[in-house]
Amino acid sequence: MTQNTTNNSYLRQLDGLRFVAVTMVLIDHWSGDALQFPISYLGVCMFFVLSGFLITRILLQARQKDENLGRSHKFSLKQFYIRRTVRIFPIYYLTILALFIWNIEPVRDKIWWYLTYTTNIYIAINQTWMGSSDHLWSLAVEEQFYLFFPFIVFFLSARSLPKILFGFMAISVGLRLFFYLNGSAWMTPYVLMPTCLDAFGIGGLFAYSYFHKNDAVKKFVTNKVWLLISLILYIGIVLWGKQFPDGHNMITVVFLRLFESLFSLFMVGNAVYGFSGITKSFFEHKLTVYLGRISYGIYIYHKFIYNHYHNSPSNPVVKILSKLPIIDENMVLKIIFLYIITVIVSTISWFLIEKPINKWKDKFSY
């Protein structure tokens, strides 16, 4: 299938990239960081860059549509929030409801943090994680970004957007440096929305260039040499950070996300314009695309299905694994087993909840 790169196209390979990103997160979380390489950090950052690209692209298209029709941007603003709500809220809040009913700690005690998508702020303030639900911090970051970014795209000068996005990058790195120098725990600059803005900003800058069909940027992001260089730089930063006694040092806290974002930019860029050869076959394979399409559910459910650090003895998956020592004691087989279960749960969620509800989005087109 040839990748269509018109502004209104469905970019099939991005679903394949979602599969890669979520798989990195799952492997790292389920293995208990046994790999000694922060691939879950990269996976989450890749999602942020991807979100920055897709949201900016959607908003620029909507703004252009408004201007062509001579209507207020308030219409597209309303449509954007309705469509985001339809896509994101249902299984998130159903999950929170289930956790509340089953009294999975600390949901009942911290319920308002979950309901308001502010668990990342709780983690930053208290400098502590939240058990089996701590991964929801990244969803909180995305929601907080959605709250203000559409207003920037719709109501500020279109020409100022690149400068603002570059500003995002500077602010993000600067804030991470500020928190580090002031002795904050590493998770504070890791989970706050403003300290993630370099990832969103890089994705947004690419979307701006893509929307305006900037051929120079296309040649840059699809150049495999730059993709390789960005990968080498990313690996170099990780290895450099490992030279310090404290794993959470200035290199990893302040600069790692920036280099993750740069590598993610080239991955997203190549997927947008279309990888070729074996990579194309992988990213456009039916199974890869499907798993990427349901990756939101996979991400939400994976830590409740199995959590390396916070498993309850009553967890049915833990009980099954205890009876299957061949799988439980082999990390590769264990991850495959957990992935299959997670995909089954996410598939049920997709066809019973997400896909039917997503059809409502058609009623709120731009």
Side-chain angles (χ1 to χ4, degrees):
M1 176 179 175
T2 302
Q3 190 72 22
N4 186 346
T5 58
T6 62
N7 280 334
N8 293 318
S9 65
Y10 160 59
L11 303 171
R12 183 180 178 86
Q13 290 191 16
L14 290 186
D15 276 332
L17 190 61
R18 287 189 182 95
F19 160 72
V20 171
V22 79
T23 298
M24 288 192 290
V25 174
L26 269 54
I27 290 173
D28 208 15
H29 285 175
W30 285 337
S31 66
D33 302 318
L35 297 178
Q36 297 298 307
F37 203 89
I39 59 173
S40 63
Y41 296 6
L42 176 60
V44 170
C45 187
M46 197 170 288
F47 272 119
F48 288 164
V49 173
L50 186 55
S51 290
F53 168 76
L54 291 173
I55 294 304
T56 305
R57 175 173 171 256
I58 288 170
L59 295 173
L60 287 173
Q61 290 174 352
R63 175 174 176 144
Q64 184 181 66
K65 185 75 171 180
D66 291 341
E67 292 171 351
N68 289 342
L69 295 176
R71 70 188 178 196
S72 168
H73 294 314
K74 292 179 181 179
F75 171 82
S76 291
L77 188 68
K78 180 190 70 174
Q79 303 301 84
F80 172 81
Y81 284 119
I82 292 175
R83 290 170 66 86
R84 285 289 88 194
T85 297
V86 168
R87 177 66 188 103
I88 294 172
F89 282 12
I91 64 170
Y92 175 84
Y93 282 112
L94 284 174
T95 300
I96 299 305
L97 176 62
L99 296 174
F100 185 89
I101 292 173
W102 291 331
N103 196 21
I104 304 298
E105 295 183 356
V107 175
R108 286 191 181 180
D109 291 339
K110 318 297 181 189
I111 187 61
W112 290 111
W113 297 96
Y114 291 93
L115 294 179
T116 56
Y117 274 96
T118 51
T119 54
N120 64 322
I121 297 175
Y122 176 87
I123 292 169
I125 292 173
N126 294 278
Q127 300 188 4
T128 183
W129 295 104
M130 303 181 76
S132 60
S133 59
D134 52 26
H135 64 299
L136 300 180
W137 73 268
S138 64
L139 304 184
V141 167
E142 297 236 12
E143 284 301 303
Q144 291 159 21
F145 178 71
Y146 298 156
L147 284 178
F148 77 92
F149 188 61
F151 290 90
I152 290 176
V153 177
F154 285 140
F155 300 111
L156 296 183
S157 167
R159 292 183 178 181
S160 67
L161 184 58
K163 295 178 182 178
I164 293 170
L165 294 171
F166 274 116
F168 281 1
M169 296 164 62
I171 290 170
S172 184
V173 175
L175 282 174
R176 292 201 297 268
L177 179 60
F178 170 81
F179 282 117
Y180 177 80
L181 293 177
N182 281 272
S184 300
W186 72 272
M187 68 272 292
T188 298
Y190 183 68
V191 303
L192 288 174
M193 183 274 293
T195 56
C196 297
L197 283 176
D198 46 349
F200 291 104
I202 286 175
L205 280 168
F206 174 44
Y208 182 88
S209 298
Y210 177 81
F211 180 77
H212 291 287
K213 298 180 180 179
N214 188 321
D215 290 336
V217 172
K218 177 181 177 181
K219 292 178 181 179
F220 175 65
V221 298
T222 58
N223 189 317
K224 300 304 186 292
V225 173
W226 285 113
L227 173 62
L228 179 61
I229 290 173
S230 68
L231 175 60
I232 293 172
L233 289 174
Y234 160 65
I235 294 174
I237 284 291
V238 173
L239 296 179
W240 187 11
K242 287 182 175 294
Q243 303 306 308
F244 294 81
D246 182 2
H248 301 296
N249 48 72
M250 180 180 286
I251 301 302
T252 58
V253 172
V254 179
F255 298 107
L256 178 58
R257 179 171 282 142
L258 178 62
F259 285 87
E260 290 171 339
S261 300
L262 288 173
F263 173 60
S264 298
L265 165 65
F266 289 101
M267 290 297 293
V268 171
N270 277 275
V272 165
Y273 289 110
F275 278 105
S276 59
I278 296 175
T279 311
K280 170 186 171 71
S281 300
F282 173 78
F283 277 120
E284 294 190 10
H285 191 278
K286 289 182 179 180
L287 179 59
T288 305
V289 170
Y290 171 71
L291 293 176
R293 190 168 296 160
I294 66 170
S295 60
Y296 179 52
I298 289 175
Y299 183 79
I300 285 183
Y301 302 134
H302 81 278
K303 269 201 170 184
F304 305 119
I305 289 171
Y306 184 85
N307 188 311
H308 183 81
Y309 297 106
H310 303 284
N311 276 314
S312 167
S314 61
N315 184 326
V317 176
V318 174
K319 290 181 179 179
I320 293 172
L321 284 172
S322 66
K323 296 177 181 179
L324 299 170
I326 294 178
I327 294 177
D328 194 26
E329 296 171 7
N330 184 301
M331 186 58 66
V332 174
L333 293 178
K334 186 175 181 179
I335 289 174
I336 293 173
F337 174 77
L338 294 172
Y339 210 126
I340 291 172
I341 292 177
T342 305
V343 168
I344 291 172
V345 172
S346 301
T347 295
I348 294 171
S349 171
W350 174 254
F351 284 104
L352 290 185
I353 304 171
E354 296 171 78
K355 190 175 181 180
I357 293 178
N358 277 343
K359 293 180 179 178
W360 297 354
K361 290 167 65 176
D362 296 337
K363 300 179 180 180
F364 302 98
S365 69
Y366 294 102

